[in-house]
Amino acid sequence: MARAGRVVVVGAGLAGLRTAEELRAAGHDGPLTLVGAEEHLPYDRPPLSKQVLTGSWEPERVALRSADALAELSLDLRLGTRATGLADDAVVLGDGERLPFDHLVVATGVAARRLAHQPRHERVHELRTLEDCLRLQAGLAASRSLLIVGGGFVGAEVAAAARAQGLDVTIVEALPAPFGRVLGTAVAQRCVRLHRDHGVRVLAGARVEELRAGEDGVVLTLADGSVLEADRMLVAVGTSVDAGWAGGTGGAGLACDDHGRVAGRDRVYAVGDVAAWHSPATGDRERVEHWTSATEQARVAARALLGRPVEPAAADLPYFWSDQYRTKIQMVGRPHLADTTRIHDTPGGAAPSVAVYLRRGRLVAAVSFAAPHLLARLRPLVAGAAPEPEVRALTDALGLVPA
Amino acid sequence: MRVQVEIGRCEGYANCVVAAPDVFSLDDEYLVVVDAPTPGEEQRAAVEEAVRSCPAAALALQDD
């Protein structure tokens, strides 16, 4: 095995931590530095809009590892430290220190995207970090109404948490269908229905003209002139990548091969939300902001960096889950590739339900509502691009009927 | 090797069932059931994948 020398991992979220662990597991016993911009030990983000926000988990439970488990990794752990520049053989830190490396892994993730003219105000929230989460949680407890700008999954989960606490909730989405960009129109309608059934007002095709916040509350003016008021507001309009310090341009993340090696650099890798890996399945570069992608990329990149054999990725398949109103929504595959979508329900038109996405008669994605066991059955068929009759045989066998 | 489950942590995502279908399944409440608590060596990669892919960190693999 080639010596990896000094390895620096920048980014102490899931992708960075897992990379450090995989490096140690694959035999790297040399110097290993983990640099994190936040002051916290590595923590997990999905629960921030789910279990922590609803209060079913104590915030401490988001810690990905105990201090003892981290100590076993023999890391040079630099928390509260931001990387600001990259030379051929060193990372430049915020305080000017140069951190020399033989191999570098960039795992700095993404930030919450902000709207143009978004005021910085105590009543205007975003949700990316643990502080954001705790601030929002306290804000919800002291409020009777919430406006959510952005019909994505973070907004949807916060809507569910806020409804559970009795707040009056409105989701404002610029596109014709909230959730439609990811799930397609037919399945997105199911999500909208879920929210409306729980008393959420969902406004689609609603463009924000102006956003104001004051001591008494927030005011949103839409392009059609209507005015919405609430006690507070969450802006959840996706994420932005800032990898400029590491040579990334235009918010596209860092272009990588299918082992995470950054294009044009021999000894620099990137993993997680910041990395746009080449996908053998689609032939394109994809930046996938999913939890399981980060864990898988960490394993592959760590082994590639050490010159160890890399087993093919267990599933080169996007996968995510969302918890809303005690309903688990799970997705596997690439719905945007589909030319046909079919929804299958439990007889009576209720959940558990699944949606199957087909392209030229082959399965490219599946989404489940309150049906983790069914998605588990469908996933191998998505991985194998199963033909429609095989998909139908399975949904029939599962006792589902076309919607 | 032995599969360890902290059942109080399980949130029923079923990622383990996907990774190692011969070892894990879900019960009627969508909580994990370990069908093979001491799986053979041929299951190691699959069980490691299951441990890795559990969003709730409910699983562990212990060597005897």
Side-chain angles (χ1 to χ4, degrees), chain A residues 18 22 51 57 61 291 299 319 321 323 328 330 372-373 379, chain B residues 9 11-15 17-18 26 30 49 52-55:
Chain A
R18 288 291 182 102
E22 296 284 357
Q51 294 94 338
W57 285 13
R61 204 171 144 185
W291 191 93
R299 183 181 68 83
Y319 163 75
W321 70 91
D323 298 324
K328 263 189 178 48
Q330 291 167 289
H373 57 306
R379 185 138 100 172
Chain B
R9 296 188 78 100
E11 303 257 331
Y13 290 112
N15 289 9
V17 181
V18 173
L26 296 186
Y30 303 149
E49 170 67 19
R52 228 183 355 247
S53 67
C54 177

Side-chain angles (χ1 to χ4, degrees), chain A residues 76-258:
Chain A
D76 171 17
L77 188 58
R78 310 282 192 99
L79 297 176
T81 304
R82 202 168 277 279
T84 56
L86 178 59
D88 279 346
D89 57 0
V91 175
V92 182
L93 302 179
D95 62 3
E97 182 185 349
R98 286 171 64 91
L99 203 57
F101 65 79
D102 295 296
H103 286 91
L104 171 69
V105 182
V106 180
T108 42
V110 292
R113 188 166 79 80
R114 298 174 58 82
L115 292 172
H117 313 301
Q118 180 178 329
R120 290 192 186 275
H121 191 279
E122 180 266 325
R123 291 180 181 274
V124 179
H125 295 263
E126 47 200 60
L127 180 48
R128 183 70 195 169
T129 66
L130 182 55
E131 278 76 18
D132 292 341
C133 171
L134 298 178
R135 209 167 67 77
L136 178 60
Q137 193 179 45
L140 294 182
S143 299
R144 283 179 303 180
S145 56
L146 175 71
L147 282 172
I148 297 174
V149 180
F153 286 93
V154 170
E157 290 173 350
V158 174
R163 279 302 296 153
Q165 294 169 45
L167 276 77
D168 180 36
V169 178
T170 304
I171 296 176
V172 177
E173 166 60 44
L175 294 175
F179 321 109
R181 193 176 54 81
V182 176
L183 297 178
T185 310
V187 180
Q189 288 307 327
R190 286 295 180 99
C191 294
V192 171
R193 198 170 87 192
L194 179 67
H195 286 276
R196 288 189 172 143
D197 286 350
H198 284 85
V200 173
R201 185 151 65 125
V202 181
L203 304 179
R207 293 174 43 80
V208 174
E209 189 82 17
E210 192 190 24
L211 201 159
R212 279 181 294 140
E215 256 178 50
D216 300 333
V218 294
V219 182
L220 202 60
T221 308
L222 302 181
D224 67 2
S226 54
V227 175
L228 306 171
E229 297 181 345
D231 290 338
R232 62 188 62 237
M233 177 184 314
L234 171 76
V235 177
V237 290
T239 59
S240 65
V241 190
D242 179 14
W245 70 273
T249 52
L254 295 173
C256 299
D257 69 11
D258 55 0

Side-chain angles (χ1 to χ4, degrees), chain A residues 34-51:
Chain A
L34 182 62
V35 179
E38 295 182 56
E39 295 284 354
H40 302 286
L41 292 176
Y43 67 90
D44 207 19
R45 292 189 201 280
L48 300 183
S49 54
K50 304 177 176 72
Q51 294 94 338

